[in-house]
Amino acid sequence: MTERIQDVAHLGRLELLTPKLDRSRWYFESVLGMEAVSVEGRSVCLRGYGDYAASTLKLTESDRPGIGRISWRAASPEALERRVKAIQGRGLGDRWDDGEFGRGPAYNFRDPDGHRMEIYYEEQKYRAPENLRSTLKNLPMKYTARGVNVRRLDHLALLCRDVAENRAFAQRTLGFVLREQVIFDNGTLELGSWLSPSPAHHEVAYVLDVKGASGRLHHISLWVDNREDVLRAAHVLAENGIFIEAGPSKHNNSQGFYLYSYELGGNRVEIYSGSYLVFAPDWEVVTWNEEERGTGVYWGSPLPESFIQYGTPEVTADKASAKRIPAFDPI
Amino acid sequence: MTERIQDVAHLGRLELLTPKLDRSRWYFESVLGMEAVSVEGRSVCLRGYGDYAASTLKLTESDRPGIGRISWRAASPEALERRVKAIQGRGLGDRWDDGEFGRGPAYNFRDPDGHRMEIYYEEQKYRAPENLRSTLKNLPMKYTARGVNVRRLDHLALLCRDVAENRAFAQRTLGFVLREQVIFDNGTLELGSWLSPSPAHHEVAYVLDVKGASGRLHHISLWVDNREDVLRAAHVLAENGIFIEAGPSKHNNSQGFYLYSYELGGNRVEIYSGSYLVFAPDWEVVTWNEEERGTGVYWGSPLPESFIQYGTPEVTADKASAKRIPAFDPI
Amino acid sequence: MTERIQDVAHLGRLELLTPKLDRSRWYFESVLGMEAVSVEGRSVCLRGYGDYAASTLKLTESDRPGIGRISWRAASPEALERRVKAIQGRGLGDRWDDGEFGRGPAYNFRDPDGHRMEIYYEEQKYRAPENLRSTLKNLPMKYTARGVNVRRLDHLALLCRDVAENRAFAQRTLGFVLREQVIFDNGTLELGSWLSPSPAHHEVAYVLDVKGASGRLHHISLWVDNREDVLRAAHVLAENGIFIEAGPSKHNNSQGFYLYSYELGGNRVEIYSGSYLVFAPDWEVVTWNEEERGTGVYWGSPLPESFIQYGTPEVTADKASAKRIPAFDPI
Amino acid sequence: MTERIQDVAHLGRLELLTPKLDRSRWYFESVLGMEAVSVEGRSVCLRGYGDYAASTLKLTESDRPGIGRISWRAASPEALERRVKAIQGRGLGDRWDDGEFGRGPAYNFRDPDGHRMEIYYEEQKYRAPENLRSTLKNLPMKYTARGVNVRRLDHLALLCRDVAENRAFAQRTLGFVLREQVIFDNGTLELGSWLSPSPAHHEVAYVLDVKGASGRLHHISLWVDNREDVLRAAHVLAENGIFIEAGPSKHNNSQGFYLYSYELGGNRVEIYSGSYLVFAPDWEVVTWNEEERGTGVYWGSPLPESFIQYGTPEVTADKASAKRIPAFDPI
């Protein structure tokens, strides 16, 4: 066994596509309490009060909702170089660009399912303006106590045609560690895999797209500090007329405490806390079979049908692919 | 309008019937963390660490699960006398008995649906033995930190054939205040009513029995201090293999944060927190129609079918009665 | 013993005097998240999102900080009449006035220490404007998720020269129940008494003024739903540069979870949760002697010296009175 | 700059010396709710319900309290080899031993201040016996809901004569990252440094020993999932008559939510939650000067004098060293 070196430090930023930029911005800024730090054309860059990078979420106007670029931060210039080589070796690389707001040069690529990704190293730390400076020297920005008051970006879940292929790419080409997986049909059908470059339980999940499509998003996930904050978020969302699809409740895999709503452009957004950290270097993958997995919910009600069926952008099921796929909750 | 005098101080104690006394005791004592203070024949008297009375829950072995006697504490000897007279005037009284563990003489009666009740004034305060004495002088018993660690008895929900009749009895004969109600069919079908003698939001709920039976229990409810404790309770119940029927989640009516499980004798038990207090003497009843009521859930998933159908003891639906009753969640 | 009838329903409203009306308003509206519902001259009427009355806190510009009128709501017109008679009988009554914003006629009086009070029955319920309407039919106003987001008015603590005299007035003339007291010097020096008209643990506390003054305020107290909200409040106050005098921590008497800050006019304000309710009609007063009382804190650090010394308005100690008074924490 | 490779995965286990083994065991097992997994002679091995290793805390009977061996887990066999070489190169190595309960061979060494440490790679995962198996497949052990119910080992704080020297050793020889530090006297006196091998904020702190001694312990720290659990822990400790030295409250550096008590052998134990994770590979050290640091407390009361003076084992101040050291709170 060769020694693992952690070349990807963490999920750096997500770009979300939205057909309703202004309504999406209102959702993230006024309801979730994130801060808008830059507006460029039909894009808005946002951040949580605890994010150290200048921006961790970018909204870009588009015909349809979905996920734009997924940015991974490398652990060092050398690590960046090694990963770019690996991606190129796998034939999935595209090109370098100059870097966007708050970041240095980034190398563009796609995962096997076609989701757009990039990897970069240089990043600008956030320097809060006077009125947003925290009284805590180690907090990058004032706790504004506005709405849900999201602390930071946490992870995302991607739908894909072939979980095993994308999972292997994340492990071998990006160097992620597999934490948990759901496998049905006596171990022959991999329905979902949760992976991470870091001790965070997962920073990306690959989940089978029950409609047989590719390149789609299941959800992005934003962190709050505890379960009481997730409960509070439910009240804030409800009072603002935002649809709550599921939760607050607790998943069995990941142990995460979740709340799913749709931002106003149509993308699913999770407010998240709990879960667990993995510091052990020899983690044993936790594999759930059909029976163990149950509903994917540790407590109470099962997840609704929409949770299995709906992703962004919406598509009509590809019948050839879809028929062999069991109903499955992609937490 | 005549002046209202609060003659019933609060719900004093509940007796729960169980076909599995030992398993039920294990549930309340080891899992919920209540304290057993007396065993008499096939009955066990229990208390929460914050209950001021010697005992607030009695388990009695029986063929079938269900609710035994429901005890209301009067506000004074004079209040006791007034209520006994009112009950007798309504033709629902039975007889005085000598009082059970920790209580003085009690007057037995039945509500119109046939649930057994009693009213009493004299009550023994709990005096903790040395090893259970709290370091807080104003806490009747040590916080034992065992399992769910229920603080105190809160309320109960009764199924009945005719909500309006039982609700009117609670208002007129017992002097309770109506807090909220659910009325369908343009105000002609009263499905549920939440009432209280005190500023607690409700100490009893009357809910339509969709099976057309009488004398049945929907649930008893036990209080913990906050929502985080309800979430913690879910983990404790799950780890002990106890079935969780619904929650933790939040009701719209009552604003209560709930978790429903079945104790091992089959009765539904709620772990409860939140809700709100009503100090206003001129409370305006909150009435929910079919549309407003929705699922009875403020967040997330609807309550499961069993929540509507299951009560104790179980019965076969009375077809003549049952057919005119809509599906309804009796929170 | 004569039967007790609860003639005072609850604490209805507080008037706070402030030399900095605009700064005080900013504190309650922007930092604590209360809602301003009326401005009249140099007064502002505010409310918490869960208050049922139109307004529960009034800020009035004044030379010095302190407490203005303390309003008690009667339980009925008859109860109002009985209490007015009792107050007049005690020789402490003043006159009727027409009632202020949101209220009917009120009878003005003073407690023995000279604090201004009034009692009234008629009260206007809050009807939220469209943009502040809650999605919960039983919540009078939208949960705005702004700052501390105070739910409702809870209680107040008054400094006085003679605790026993004021405590007896509250019991005999207003009909309050004594819940807890602190008595030093082998039972000869009553330092503090906590009283309530309702099952809320206390709605008013009388505490010895260590400076020998009269008519002063120790603190007003505002309710949030749980301890996590009090912790959150500490962060919000700190980020807004508001002085935190003590807490978040837990008192031994009252079991309350507290956080004390000074609003910008100089009055002490508590953010409060926890404590316990008393439904028992035969409550046994909990009396703490010097040793049992300790620091008044159940956990951790003692309260600071300012907590004992500072009240509003500030005064120079009356030496004749002050010298016989021991150091004491007036929670 | 050379690329950093994370050779130490995490803090693996702590050995605590105690003159009262049975009382210490009662504290960790019955009050904190940890599980005893092995008894060997006058040592007991314990674990939190969420620890993945077989044991993370060892109690060993000794004349005096204090810290025994501090075990660091290497990230791989190669990493172990590299670190042993580095330690040997620094002249602080001792010898290999065969490994203790649940672990493979370990290399023994001392930090510059003389604290005993070891580094190892092989470790046995915990396999819960039937009665302690969790219903969550990804949880190594049942949540027993006993007392404080500590989840896992978090970090420790060591007192030392020379913070800069020990900090540099942790950085250069062990490869840890410096997260925060407190430096007084215009940057000339390093009072405390917080370091970590992983994204956990700190796994070890080096703090100046105000008594001028060496090899002493300030505290060990155990994790619970949220702040509400820390508050609950305070109640559990208080009810069991355990001395609470400080908290629950919040530090400014680390943002940790803390509660300090003494286990019955005399060592200080922190119950801990909150803080923040650092995933950024280019973390900028947060340095607090005398003014910024304040009391080390973000909210409310300063830490007590004992928090500065007391460590284990207790010593008489070394006058020659002690006189130049300012009062300082070693959080």
Side-chain angles (χ1 to χ4, degrees):
Chain A
M1 201 188 91
T2 37
E3 198 185 349
R4 175 188 177 246
I5 292 176
Q6 185 190 333
D7 277 350
V8 173
H10 61 88
L11 177 62
R13 204 199 58 180
L14 293 177
E15 184 185 28
L16 215 49
L17 309 178
T18 168
K20 297 180 182 171
L21 182 61
D22 296 337
R23 299 299 291 146
S24 292
R25 178 180 175 164
W26 172 80
Y27 171 90
F28 287 104
E29 197 175 17
S30 298
V31 182
L32 297 201
M34 298 182 81
E35 200 68 23
V37 288
S38 165
V39 178
E40 295 168 8
R42 296 307 289 164
S43 284
V44 182
C45 291
L46 296 139
R47 48 175 282 103
Y49 76 91
D51 279 316
Y52 284 85
S55 170
T56 51
L57 180 66
K58 182 181 181 180
L59 305 178
T60 295
E61 197 165 51
S62 179
D63 284 356
R64 300 195 302 169
I67 186 75
R69 263 188 294 180
I70 300 155
S71 307
W72 300 103
R73 188 169 189 204
S76 67
E78 296 84 354
L80 176 58
E81 214 172 291
R82 280 193 296 267
R83 285 310 113 201
V84 169
K85 237 175 246 171
I87 293 161
Q88 289 170 336
R90 180 69 174 71
L92 287 163
D94 182 358
R95 60 181 174 76
W96 285 92
D97 66 33
D98 284 347
E100 296 199 336
F101 175 78
R103 297 209 313 277
Y107 184 74
N108 285 255
F109 64 99
R110 286 182 188 263
D111 70 8
D113 201 67
H115 298 97
R116 284 190 296 155
M117 295 184 167
E118 61 177 22
I119 183 165
Y120 67 99
Y121 172 69
E122 286 172 39
E123 185 171 78
Q124 184 191 321
K125 292 224 159 14
Y126 182 64
R127 310 292 178 200
E130 186 70 27
N131 66 316
L132 290 179
R133 213 158 288 164
S134 176
T135 50
L136 271 173
K137 194 177 180 179
N138 50 14
L139 194 60
M141 198 186 93
K142 187 178 173 172
Y143 179 81
T144 58
R146 185 174 67 231
V148 172
N149 222 47
V150 157
R151 184 175 185 125
R152 60 171 176 77
L153 176 63
D154 194 82
H155 69 264
L156 85 165
L158 296 170
L159 296 173
C160 64
R161 279 174 187 267
D162 185 331
V163 174
E165 184 187 20
N166 286 279
R167 185 253 303 148
F169 168 77
Q171 288 175 285
R172 291 174 205 155
T173 309
L174 300 181
F176 291 7
V177 178
L178 178 60
R179 291 281 152 70
E180 303 195 28
Q181 53 185 350
V182 175
I183 300 189
F184 280 17
D185 295 354
N186 297 317
T188 62
L189 181 59
E190 186 170 336
L191 288 180
S193 281
W194 288 256
L195 303 117
S196 183
S198 78
H201 176 273
H202 66 286
E203 301 199 12
V204 67
Y206 277 109
V207 177
L208 194 63
D209 192 322
V210 296
K211 293 193 173 156
S214 62
R216 299 207 300 155
L217 172 71
H218 190 267
H219 68 264
I220 69 163
S221 185
L222 301 167
W223 179 267
V224 290
D225 275 339
N226 52 54
R227 303 194 291 192
E228 180 61 31
D229 281 349
V230 180
L231 299 181
R232 208 178 146 273
H235 199 176
V236 175
L237 289 166
E239 287 286 28
N240 283 285
I242 311 286
F243 171 63
I244 292 177
E245 187 185 38
S249 197
K250 183 171 175 168
H251 286 304
N252 50 13
N253 52 328
S254 90
Q255 298 176 22
F257 194 72
Y258 63 85
L259 165 60
Y260 294 100
S261 74
Y262 297 170
E263 58 88 23
L264 300 187
N267 296 294
R268 188 184 281 106
V269 176
E270 182 181 31
I271 305 298
Y272 189 69
S273 195
S275 194
Y276 60 98
L277 299 168
V278 179
F279 295 107
D282 56 350
W283 176 251
E284 293 174 352
V285 178
V286 178
T287 302
W288 307 72
N289 65 25
E290 196 152 358
E291 185 190 2
E292 292 163 341
R293 161 71 186 202
T295 59
V297 175
Y298 186 48
W299 298 328
S301 310
L303 292 158
E305 183 63 17
S306 62
F307 195 75
I308 304 167
Q309 297 292 337
Y310 182 73
T312 47
E314 274 207 272
V315 293
T316 308
D318 168 342
K319 279 172 196 158
S321 308
K323 62 187 168 196
R324 61 176 180 81
I325 298 171
F328 169 69
D329 291 341
I331 79 148
Chain B
M1 202 187 91
T2 37
E3 199 186 347
R4 174 188 178 246
I5 292 175
Q6 185 190 331
D7 278 351
V8 173
H10 61 88
L11 177 61
R13 203 199 58 180
L14 293 178
E15 182 185 29
L16 215 49
L17 308 179
T18 169
K20 297 179 183 173
L21 182 61
D22 296 337
R23 299 301 290 147
S24 292
R25 178 179 174 164
W26 172 79
Y27 172 90
F28 287 105
E29 197 175 18
S30 297
V31 182
L32 298 200
M34 298 183 79
E35 200 69 23
V37 288
S38 164
V39 178
E40 297 169 7
R42 296 308 289 165
S43 284
V44 181
C45 290
L46 296 140
R47 48 175 284 103
Y49 76 90
D51 279 314
Y52 284 86
S55 171
T56 51
L57 180 65
K58 180 182 181 179
L59 305 179
T60 296
E61 197 166 49
S62 178
D63 284 355
R64 300 194 302 169
I67 186 76
R69 264 188 292 179
I70 300 156
S71 306
W72 300 103
R73 185 167 191 206
S76 66
E78 295 84 354
L80 176 58
E81 212 172 294
R82 280 194 296 268
R83 284 312 113 200
V84 169
K85 235 174 243 169
I87 292 162
Q88 289 170 335
R90 181 67 174 74
L92 287 164
D94 183 357
R95 59 178 176 79
W96 284 93
D97 65 34
D98 285 348
E100 296 198 337
F101 175 78
R103 298 208 313 277
Y107 185 74
N108 285 256
F109 63 100
R110 286 181 187 264
D111 70 8
D113 201 65
H115 299 97
R116 284 190 295 154
M117 295 184 166
E118 62 178 21
I119 184 165
Y120 67 100
Y121 172 69
E122 287 171 39
E123 184 170 80
Q124 182 192 323
K125 293 223 162 11
Y126 182 63
R127 310 291 177 201
E130 185 70 28
N131 67 317
L132 290 179
R133 214 158 286 165
S134 175
T135 50
L136 272 171
K137 194 176 180 180
N138 51 14
L139 194 60
M141 198 186 93
K142 187 177 175 175
Y143 180 79
T144 57
R146 185 175 67 232
V148 172
N149 222 47
V150 157
R151 185 175 183 125
R152 61 170 176 77
L153 176 63
D154 194 82
H155 69 265
L156 85 165
L158 296 169
L159 296 173
C160 63
R161 279 174 186 268
D162 185 331
V163 174
E165 185 187 19
N166 287 279
R167 186 254 304 148
F169 167 76
Q171 289 175 286
R172 291 176 204 152
T173 309
L174 300 181
F176 291 6
V177 178
L178 178 60
R179 292 280 150 70
E180 303 195 29
Q181 53 185 350
V182 175
I183 300 188
F184 280 17
D185 296 354
N186 297 316
T188 62
L189 181 58
E190 186 171 336
L191 289 180
S193 279
W194 287 257
L195 302 118
S196 183
S198 78
H201 177 274
H202 66 285
E203 301 198 11
V204 67
Y206 278 108
V207 177
L208 193 61
D209 192 320
V210 295
K211 293 195 173 154
S214 62
R216 298 208 300 154
L217 171 71
H218 191 267
H219 67 264
I220 69 163
S221 184
L222 301 167
W223 179 268
V224 290
D225 274 339
N226 52 55
R227 302 194 291 192
E228 180 60 31
D229 282 349
V230 180
L231 299 181
R232 208 179 146 274
H235 199 175
V236 175
L237 289 167
E239 287 286 28
N240 283 283
I242 310 286
F243 172 62
I244 293 177
E245 187 184 37
S249 196
K250 184 172 175 169
H251 286 304
N252 52 10
N253 53 331
S254 90
Q255 298 176 25
F257 194 71
Y258 63 85
L259 165 60
Y260 294 100
S261 74
Y262 297 170
E263 57 88 22
L264 300 187
N267 295 293
R268 188 184 281 106
V269 176
E270 182 181 31
I271 305 298
Y272 189 68
S273 194
S275 192
Y276 61 97
L277 298 168
V278 179
F279 295 106
D282 56 349
W283 176 251
E284 293 174 351
V285 179
V286 177
T287 302
W288 306 74
N289 65 26
E290 194 153 0
E291 185 189 2
E292 292 163 341
R293 161 70 188 209
T295 59
V297 175
Y298 186 48
W299 299 327
S301 311
L303 290 158
E305 183 64 17
S306 62
F307 196 75
I308 303 167
Q309 297 293 336
Y310 182 74
T312 44
E314 271 207 274
V315 293
T316 308
D318 167 342
K319 278 169 198 163
S321 309
K323 64 188 165 194
R324 62 178 177 78
I325 298 171
F328 168 69
D329 291 341
I331 80 149
Chain C
M1 201 187 90
T2 38
E3 198 185 349
R4 176 189 176 245
I5 293 176
Q6 186 191 332
D7 278 350
V8 172
H10 61 88
L11 177 62
R13 203 199 58 179
L14 294 178
E15 183 185 28
L16 215 48
L17 308 179
T18 169
K20 298 181 182 170
L21 182 61
D22 296 338
R23 299 300 290 147
S24 292
R25 178 180 174 164
W26 172 80
Y27 172 90
F28 287 104
E29 197 176 16
S30 298
V31 182
L32 297 201
M34 298 182 81
E35 199 70 23
V37 289
S38 164
V39 178
E40 295 169 8
R42 297 307 289 164
S43 283
V44 181
C45 291
L46 295 140
R47 48 175 282 103
Y49 76 90
D51 279 316
Y52 284 85
S55 170
T56 51
L57 179 66
K58 181 182 181 180
L59 304 179
T60 296
E61 197 164 52
S62 179
D63 284 356
R64 299 194 302 170
I67 186 75
R69 263 188 294 179
I70 299 155
S71 306
W72 300 104
R73 188 170 188 203
S76 66
E78 295 84 353
L80 176 58
E81 214 172 291
R82 280 192 297 266
R83 285 310 113 200
V84 169
K85 235 175 247 170
I87 293 161
Q88 289 170 335
R90 181 66 174 73
L92 287 163
D94 182 358
R95 62 182 171 77
W96 285 93
D97 66 32
D98 284 348
E100 295 198 338
F101 175 80
R103 297 210 312 277
Y107 184 74
N108 285 255
F109 63 100
R110 286 183 188 263
D111 69 9
D113 201 66
H115 299 97
R116 284 190 296 154
M117 295 184 166
E118 61 177 21
I119 184 165
Y120 67 99
Y121 172 70
E122 286 171 38
E123 185 170 78
Q124 183 192 321
K125 292 225 161 14
Y126 182 64
R127 310 292 178 199
E130 185 70 29
N131 66 316
L132 291 179
R133 214 157 289 163
S134 176
T135 49
L136 271 172
K137 195 177 181 179
N138 50 15
L139 194 61
M141 198 186 93
K142 186 179 173 174
Y143 179 81
T144 58
R146 185 175 67 232
V148 172
N149 222 47
V150 158
R151 183 174 185 126
R152 60 171 176 78
L153 176 63
D154 194 82
H155 69 264
L156 86 165
L158 296 169
L159 295 173
C160 64
R161 278 173 187 268
D162 185 331
V163 174
E165 184 187 21
N166 287 278
R167 185 254 302 149
F169 168 77
Q171 288 176 286
R172 291 175 205 152
T173 309
L174 300 181
F176 290 8
V177 178
L178 179 61
R179 292 281 151 70
E180 302 195 28
Q181 53 185 351
V182 174
I183 300 188
F184 280 18
D185 295 354
N186 296 317
T188 62
L189 181 59
E190 186 170 337
L191 288 180
S193 280
W194 287 257
L195 302 118
S196 183
S198 77
H201 176 272
H202 66 285
E203 301 198 13
V204 67
Y206 278 109
V207 177
L208 193 62
D209 192 321
V210 295
K211 293 193 173 155
S214 61
R216 300 207 300 155
L217 172 70
H218 190 267
H219 67 264
I220 69 163
S221 184
L222 301 167
W223 179 268
V224 289
D225 275 339
N226 52 54
R227 303 195 291 192
E228 180 61 31
D229 281 350
V230 179
L231 299 181
R232 209 179 146 273
H235 199 175
V236 175
L237 289 166
E239 287 286 30
N240 283 284
I242 310 287
F243 172 62
I244 293 177
E245 188 185 37
S249 197
K250 183 171 176 169
H251 285 305
N252 50 13
N253 53 328
S254 91
Q255 299 176 22
F257 195 71
Y258 63 85
L259 165 60
Y260 294 100
S261 74
Y262 297 170
E263 58 87 24
L264 300 187
N267 296 293
R268 188 184 281 106
V269 176
E270 182 181 31
I271 305 298
Y272 189 68
S273 195
S275 193
Y276 60 97
L277 299 168
V278 179
F279 294 106
D282 56 349
W283 176 250
E284 294 173 351
V285 179
V286 177
T287 302
W288 306 73
N289 65 26
E290 196 153 358
E291 185 190 3
E292 291 165 341
R293 161 69 187 207
T295 59
V297 174
Y298 186 49
W299 298 329
S301 310
L303 291 158
E305 183 64 15
S306 61
F307 195 76
I308 303 167
Q309 297 292 337
Y310 182 74
T312 46
E314 272 207 274
V315 293
T316 308
D318 168 341
K319 279 173 198 160
S321 308
K323 62 186 167 197
R324 60 176 180 79
I325 298 171
F328 168 69
D329 291 340
I331 78 149
Chain D
M1 201 187 91
T2 38
E3 199 186 348
R4 175 188 177 246
I5 293 176
Q6 186 190 330
D7 278 351
V8 173
H10 61 88
L11 177 61
R13 203 198 60 180
L14 293 178
E15 182 185 28
L16 215 49
L17 308 180
T18 169
K20 297 180 184 172
L21 182 61
D22 297 337
R23 299 302 289 148
S24 292
R25 177 179 175 165
W26 172 79
Y27 172 90
F28 286 105
E29 196 175 19
S30 298
V31 181
L32 297 200
M34 297 182 80
E35 199 70 22
V37 288
S38 164
V39 178
E40 297 169 9
R42 296 307 289 166
S43 285
V44 180
C45 290
L46 296 140
R47 47 175 285 103
Y49 76 91
D51 280 314
Y52 283 86
S55 170
T56 51
L57 180 65
K58 181 182 181 178
L59 305 178
T60 296
E61 198 166 49
S62 179
D63 284 355
R64 299 194 303 168
I67 186 76
R69 264 188 293 178
I70 299 156
S71 306
W72 299 104
R73 186 168 190 206
S76 66
E78 295 84 353
L80 176 58
E81 212 172 294
R82 280 194 296 268
R83 284 311 113 200
V84 169
K85 236 174 246 171
I87 293 161
Q88 288 170 336
R90 181 67 175 73
L92 288 163
D94 183 357
R95 59 179 175 79
W96 285 93
D97 65 33
D98 285 347
E100 297 198 336
F101 175 78
R103 297 207 314 276
Y107 185 75
N108 285 256
F109 63 100
R110 286 182 187 264
D111 70 8
D113 202 65
H115 298 96
R116 284 191 294 154
M117 295 185 167
E118 61 177 22
I119 184 164
Y120 68 99
Y121 172 68
E122 287 170 39
E123 184 169 80
Q124 183 192 322
K125 293 222 162 11
Y126 182 63
R127 309 292 177 199
E130 186 70 28
N131 66 318
L132 291 179
R133 213 158 287 163
S134 175
T135 50
L136 272 171
K137 194 177 180 180
N138 51 14
L139 195 60
M141 199 187 92
K142 187 178 175 175
Y143 180 80
T144 57
R146 185 175 67 232
V148 172
N149 223 47
V150 157
R151 184 175 183 124
R152 61 169 175 79
L153 177 63
D154 194 81
H155 69 265
L156 86 165
L158 296 170
L159 296 173
C160 63
R161 278 174 187 268
D162 185 331
V163 173
E165 185 188 20
N166 287 279
R167 185 255 303 148
F169 167 76
Q171 288 175 286
R172 291 176 204 152
T173 309
L174 300 181
F176 290 8
V177 178
L178 179 61
R179 292 281 152 69
E180 303 195 28
Q181 53 184 350
V182 175
I183 300 188
F184 281 17
D185 296 354
N186 297 316
T188 61
L189 181 59
E190 187 171 336
L191 289 179
S193 279
W194 287 257
L195 302 118
S196 183
S198 78
H201 176 273
H202 66 285
E203 301 199 11
V204 67
Y206 277 108
V207 178
L208 194 61
D209 192 322
V210 296
K211 293 196 173 152
S214 62
R216 298 208 301 154
L217 171 71
H218 191 268
H219 67 264
I220 69 163
S221 184
L222 301 167
W223 179 268
V224 290
D225 275 339
N226 52 54
R227 303 195 290 194
E228 180 60 32
D229 282 349
V230 180
L231 299 180
R232 209 180 145 274
H235 200 175
V236 175
L237 289 167
E239 287 286 28
N240 283 284
I242 310 286
F243 172 61
I244 293 177
E245 187 184 38
S249 196
K250 183 172 175 168
H251 286 304
N252 50 12
N253 54 329
S254 91
Q255 298 176 24
F257 194 71
Y258 63 85
L259 165 60
Y260 294 101
S261 74
Y262 297 170
E263 57 89 21
L264 300 187
N267 296 294
R268 189 184 279 106
V269 175
E270 182 180 31
I271 305 298
Y272 189 69
S273 194
S275 192
Y276 60 98
L277 299 169
V278 179
F279 295 106
D282 56 349
W283 176 251
E284 293 173 351
V285 178
V286 178
T287 301
W288 307 73
N289 65 26
E290 195 152 358
E291 186 189 1
E292 292 163 341
R293 161 69 186 209
T295 59
V297 174
Y298 186 49
W299 298 328
S301 310
L303 290 158
E305 183 64 15
S306 62
F307 195 76
I308 303 167
Q309 297 293 336
Y310 182 74
T312 45
E314 271 207 274
V315 293
T316 308
D318 167 343
K319 278 170 199 163
S321 309
K323 64 188 164 196
R324 62 178 178 78
I325 298 171
F328 169 69
D329 291 339
I331 80 151

